[in-house]
């Protein structure tokens, strides 16, 4: 049967048959075909066939921001509430006993989520300076507190409580003024939501939480803020059929205000990881050993022990700039996007050590970004030369060889590229062509200049006219 939308979409078809206007009939047929072809049904076979919007593969590098009530205790990790009251981990229990009065509840932290120093334009300036092309903010973590005035989260949101402002909207406006893409993280489940716990107790045979909270709230988020990306999480305790994930995604791709541009990940129910959705996260800090056959993203945190801010963080627990750049280059060479996380304070500050890392990435990308943005994996992803070399490519004959470390030699050999008489080799940041000679059967020797200082300890050779 033809549904009502198909009837409306194609009504002009029958009208023009009656009046025999051939040109209009042709246009109408094309319109019908376009309309019908753009529809996705609520099943994985159809949804997984949707092409990934091109912008996502081109941008390569984004910033993740974990911010919420967990930023107030700022101890352990963003899972503070669960580790304290759910798993009852001794360190968390003792932290509360030593520092807070008896009867203090997690919700008592919310009024101290002041965000009084939160300047969205300042954040956006830092993110832009990092070279990131998209930003993903936690709109709601597993604690259930929403960083906007959700009508489905009364008094447990940033407008009614804590900052008393729309954090999602304020940051989104600043991000988009700088032509960056704006994405939103959303946790499907909430640790201690009584409606969710009731469904869980029923073996997820009831869907009261999904019908009354999870899906209406997510739809409200999409309609209000029109995110370019939805980073779903908190799905793993129940199957996608409980979450009504395919129904939501069909609406998102067919009828939502972002249907043509929105990108989604793969966290839509137990068993969906690395299998269903837009691009694949697979697991936190996912690190494949070889080139995946599907677009993927690595989410990583500057703080190696937490996604949220920790007051007791140590410098040794942070990724340094060379490590971050190696991770970024590795990820892009294997066809992935790199989403790097920072956790702001409850006051709304991106602490200087995080800002320093982000600006360091931006300084490196200002010179070497050509080898990152809008590139594709090459036929060979990595080579063990004097130093590790990761490859990316652009067009059909431009290859970038990213040196992870200074080889400390003048004559540097690459064995994988196939050269020709038209091959030109340059060092990004230096316009002068470098001298080189071919190797047999493939490869070349490049005469390197003195490599300029690089806090990231990585340099890029651009090879034009190679195969």
């Amino acid at each position: 049967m033809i549904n009502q939308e198909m009837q409306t979409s194609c009504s002009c078809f029958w009208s023009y048959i009656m009046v025999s206007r051939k040109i209009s009939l042709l246009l109408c047929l094309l319109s019908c075909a376009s309309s019908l072809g753009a529809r996705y049904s609520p099943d994985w076979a159809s949804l997984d066939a949707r092409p990934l919007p091109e912008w996502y593969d081109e941008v390569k590098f984004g910033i993740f921001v974990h911010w919420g009530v967990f930023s107030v205790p700022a101890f352990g990790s963003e899972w503070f509430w669960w580790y304290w009251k759910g798993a009852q981990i001794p360190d968390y229990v003792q932290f509360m006993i030593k520092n807070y009065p008896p009867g203090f509840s997690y919700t008592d932290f919310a009024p101290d989520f002041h965000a009084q120093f939160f300047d969205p334009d300042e954040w956006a300036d830092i993110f832009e300076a990092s070279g990131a092309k998209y930003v993903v903010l936690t709109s709601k973590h597993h604690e259930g507190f929403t960083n906007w005035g959700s009508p489905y989260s009364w008094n447990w949101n940033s407008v009614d409580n804590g900052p008393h402002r729309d954090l999602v909207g304020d940051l989104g406006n600043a991000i988009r003024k700088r032509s960056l893409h704006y994405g939103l993280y959303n946790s499907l489940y909430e640790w201690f939501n009584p409606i969710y716990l009731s469904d869980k107790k029923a073996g997820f045979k009831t869907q009261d939480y999904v019908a009354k909270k999870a899906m209406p709230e997510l739809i409200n988020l999409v309609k209000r803020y029109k995110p370019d990306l939805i980073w779903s999480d908190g799905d793993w305790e129940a199957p996608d059929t409980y979450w009504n994930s395919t129904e939501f995604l069909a609406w998102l791709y067919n009828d939502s205000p972002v249907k043509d541009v929105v990108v989604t990940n793969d966290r839509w129910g137990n068993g969906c990881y690395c299998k269903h959705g837009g691009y694949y996260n697979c697991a936190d800090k996912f690190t494949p050993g070889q080139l995946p056959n599907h677009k993927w993203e690595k989410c990583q945190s500057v703080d190696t022990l937490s996604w949220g801010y920790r007051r007791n963080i140590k410098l040794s627990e942070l990724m340094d700039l060379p490590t971050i750049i190696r991770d970024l280059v590795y990820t892009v060479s294997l066809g992935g996007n790199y989403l790097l996380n920072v956790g702001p304070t409850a006051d709304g500050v991106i602490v200087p050590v995080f800002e320093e890392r982000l600006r360091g990435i931006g300084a490196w990308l200002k010179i070497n970004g050509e080898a990152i943005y809008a590139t594709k994996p090459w036929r060979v992803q990595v080579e063990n030369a004097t130093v590790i070399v990761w490859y990316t490519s652009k067009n059909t004959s431009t290859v970038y060889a990213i040196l992870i470390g200074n080889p400390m030699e003048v004559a540097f050999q690459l064995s994988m590229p196939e050269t020709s008489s038209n091959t030109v080799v340059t060092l990004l940041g230096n316009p002068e062509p470098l001298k080189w000679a071919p190797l047999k059967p493939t490869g070349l020797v490049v005469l390197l200049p003195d490599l300029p200082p690089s806090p990231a300890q990585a340099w890029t050779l651009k090879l034009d006219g190679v195969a």
Side-chain angles (χ1 to χ4, degrees):
M1 295 181 65
I2 300 177
N3 62 29
Q4 183 63 40
E5 184 168 351
M6 291 181 181
Q7 291 175 349
T8 301
S9 175
C10 298
S11 61
C12 55
F13 173 80
W14 303 110
S15 299
Y16 282 122
I17 285 181
M18 296 176 65
V19 297
S20 300
R21 294 180 179 176
K22 293 183 180 180
I23 295 177
S24 297
L25 173 59
L26 176 60
L27 293 174
C28 205
L29 281 170
L30 292 173
S31 174
C32 288
S34 175
S35 175
L36 296 176
R39 304 295 296 180
Y40 297 94
S41 57
D43 60 80
W44 288 120
S46 176
L47 297 170
D48 289 343
R50 177 181 181 255
L52 193 71
E54 291 183 3
W55 73 262
Y56 180 75
D57 185 47
E58 292 178 351
V59 294
K60 303 301 183 185
F61 175 47
I63 300 298
F64 215 176
V65 183
H66 275 68
W67 199 31
V69 174
F70 51 80
S71 306
V72 177
F75 174 83
S77 86
E78 72 288 348
W79 279 56
F80 182 91
W81 193 6
W82 176 257
Y83 289 155
W84 171 34
K85 287 296 188 180
Q88 298 184 9
I89 294 176
D91 286 350
Y92 292 79
V93 174
Q94 289 302 312
F95 173 82
M96 292 303 299
I97 291 174
K98 292 178 180 178
N99 295 286
Y100 294 90
F104 191 95
S105 69
Y106 186 79
T107 56
D108 292 330
F109 282 122
D112 289 329
F113 182 33
H114 294 301
Q116 67 265 44
F117 299 128
F118 171 51
D119 182 342
D121 284 306
E122 182 180 20
W123 282 25
D125 284 342
I126 294 172
F127 298 153
E128 183 180 40
S130 77
K133 301 300 182 183
Y134 65 111
V135 176
V136 179
L137 172 70
T138 46
S139 65
K140 182 190 75 169
H141 202 257
H142 311 321
E143 63 188 13
F145 187 91
T146 66
N147 281 330
W148 86 100
S150 168
Y152 303 94
S153 189
W154 180 81
N155 203 42
W156 193 232
N157 67 73
S158 67
V159 174
D160 296 333
N161 208 332
H164 295 289
R165 65 188 288 188
D166 181 357
L167 305 178
V168 170
D170 289 351
L171 182 60
N173 290 336
I175 292 297
R176 284 176 164 142
K177 281 193 298 185
R178 288 152 182 82
S179 299
L180 304 180
H181 291 277
Y182 190 44
L184 294 173
Y185 167 107
N186 175 75
S187 174
L188 291 173
Y189 89 149
E190 299 172 14
W191 288 314
F192 300 109
N193 187 303
I195 309 176
Y196 176 74
L197 294 177
S198 177
D199 283 352
K200 184 176 179 179
K201 186 176 181 180
F204 299 111
K205 293 181 175 61
T206 58
Q207 293 178 290
D208 290 342
Y209 171 76
V210 175
K212 297 176 181 178
K213 181 67 159 67
M215 280 302 140
E217 189 165 72
L218 184 52
I219 290 172
N220 175 265
L221 189 70
V222 171
K223 288 183 174 180
R224 188 179 299 191
Y225 301 107
K226 301 175 178 59
D228 298 323
L229 185 152
I230 296 176
W231 213 101
S232 183
D233 199 16
D235 60 313
W236 53 80
E237 289 190 344
D240 62 274
T241 51
Y242 167 74
W243 297 114
N244 287 342
S245 296
T246 55
E247 288 81 359
F248 167 75
L249 291 173
W251 169 80
L252 185 70
Y253 296 163
N254 290 327
D255 302 309
S256 80
V258 290
K259 61 186 178 66
D260 296 324
V261 299
V262 72
V263 173
T264 63
N265 64 346
D266 58 352
R267 301 188 179 191
W268 296 103
N270 186 15
C272 288
Y273 285 19
C274 266
K275 186 177 179 182
H276 295 305
Y279 64 87
Y280 293 167
N281 285 125
C282 298
D284 290 353
K285 304 180 182 181
F286 175 59
T287 306
Q290 59 186 8
L291 181 66
N293 59 8
H294 191 93
K295 183 63 186 181
W296 64 286
E297 176 188 76
K298 180 172 185 175
C299 58
Q300 178 64 276
S301 185
V302 175
D303 178 357
T304 60
L305 300 183
S306 176
W307 301 88
Y309 176 70
R310 296 185 298 135
R311 287 181 286 173
N312 60 334
I313 194 171
K314 297 178 181 178
L315 189 62
S316 62
E317 296 164 343
L318 299 179
M319 297 177 73
D320 61 19
L321 181 60
T323 301
I324 292 171
I325 295 300
R326 285 199 302 270
D327 211 26
L328 166 65
V329 171
Y330 166 91
T331 300
V332 174
S333 294
L334 289 181
N337 276 26
Y338 192 62
L339 187 64
L340 184 66
N341 177 78
V342 294
T345 69
D347 299 321
V349 174
I350 297 174
V351 294
V353 68
F354 289 161
E355 180 179 350
E356 184 269 343
R357 295 293 190 273
L358 297 184
R359 291 188 182 277
I361 300 166
W364 186 83
L365 285 170
K366 192 172 183 178
I367 297 172
N368 299 276
E370 180 183 340
I372 299 295
Y373 304 124
T375 59
K376 300 291 184 183
W378 193 42
R379 59 176 174 83
V380 177
Q381 288 78 59
V382 65
E383 175 179 345
N384 289 314
T386 310
V387 294
I388 299 295
V389 177
W390 288 98
Y391 289 103
T392 60
S393 66
K394 204 173 278 185
N395 304 318
T396 58
S397 61
T398 299
V399 173
Y400 300 94
I402 306 173
L403 284 56
I404 305 300
N406 191 330
M408 305 298 290
E409 59 187 15
V410 175
F412 182 65
Q413 295 188 19
L414 294 172
S415 62
M416 296 303 174
E418 298 178 6
T419 63
S420 72
S421 59
N422 295 322
T423 298
V424 176
V425 182
T426 53
L427 176 71
L428 291 189
N430 183 352
E432 296 298 323
L434 304 180
K435 295 181 179 180
W436 64 273
L439 294 174
K440 298 297 183 181
T442 63
L444 70 160
V445 177
V446 182
L447 296 183
L448 293 179
D450 290 335
L451 296 179
S454 172
Q457 299 176 26
W459 297 262
T460 303
L461 295 176
K462 180 180 181 180
L463 313 175
D464 280 313
V466 299

